[in-house]
Amino acid sequence: MWLTIYFVSLILLIPVTIIGLSRASEKRIAQWLIFDRLFYLIMACATVVLMIRTFNHAPLLVSLKGILAVIIILIIEIAFGRKQEHSLSIAWSIVITLIILFTAAVVIILTLHSI
């Protein structure tokens, strides 16, 4: 159950982030940031539960997965912060999206190996 919650929140986090970073109005950016925070808080809670249950089997993989989850959250917060303060260029949006996708793929692979 927690693994399903984790994967669904991670998969929904990606399009919500992309949509939020592509908005022009500060009000819309803030609305999508709220959705983004909701999904990554759900993802973080599921990560903690999964880490507690699987740490004995693969401590290195589980620790790496936790660090990558924190990195995803930090990248998203930095991207939205830059978007709200300044205009985030298309190149930066693409780079941030690719980093999030790559990190999410690595987290999924690590999750499947740690189970």
Side-chain angles (χ1 to χ4, degrees), residues 12 84 94:
L12 290 175
Q84 287 177 334
I94 291 171

Side-chain angles (χ1 to χ4, degrees), residues 15-114:
V16 168
T17 303
I18 293 169
I19 292 169
L21 290 176
S22 65
R23 299 296 118 190
S25 130
E26 279 191 43
K27 185 177 179 181
R28 297 290 179 219
I29 294 168
Q31 288 174 343
W32 285 100
L33 179 58
I34 292 170
F35 290 128
D36 226 13
R37 286 179 176 160
L38 175 70
F39 285 126
Y40 75 61
L41 285 175
I42 293 170
M43 183 187 78
C45 291
T47 299
V48 169
V49 171
L50 290 170
M51 287 177 72
I52 290 170
R53 293 183 179 184
T54 60
F55 189 78
N56 292 333
H57 299 123
L60 183 63
L61 292 177
V62 171
S63 300
L64 183 60
K65 186 182 85 165
I67 291 169
L68 289 175
V70 170
I71 289 172
I72 288 176
I73 293 169
L74 289 174
I75 290 171
I76 289 171
E77 285 296 323
I78 290 169
F80 273 101
R82 290 194 71 173
K83 180 71 175 180
Q84 287 177 334
E85 288 179 9
H86 312 293
S87 178
L88 191 65
S89 69
I90 295 173
W92 274 105
S93 294
I94 291 171
V95 168
I96 289 169
T97 302
L98 290 176
I99 290 171
I100 291 171
L101 288 173
F102 175 74
T103 310
V106 170
V107 167
I108 289 171
I109 291 169
L110 290 176
T111 301
L112 294 176
H113 282 287
S114 66

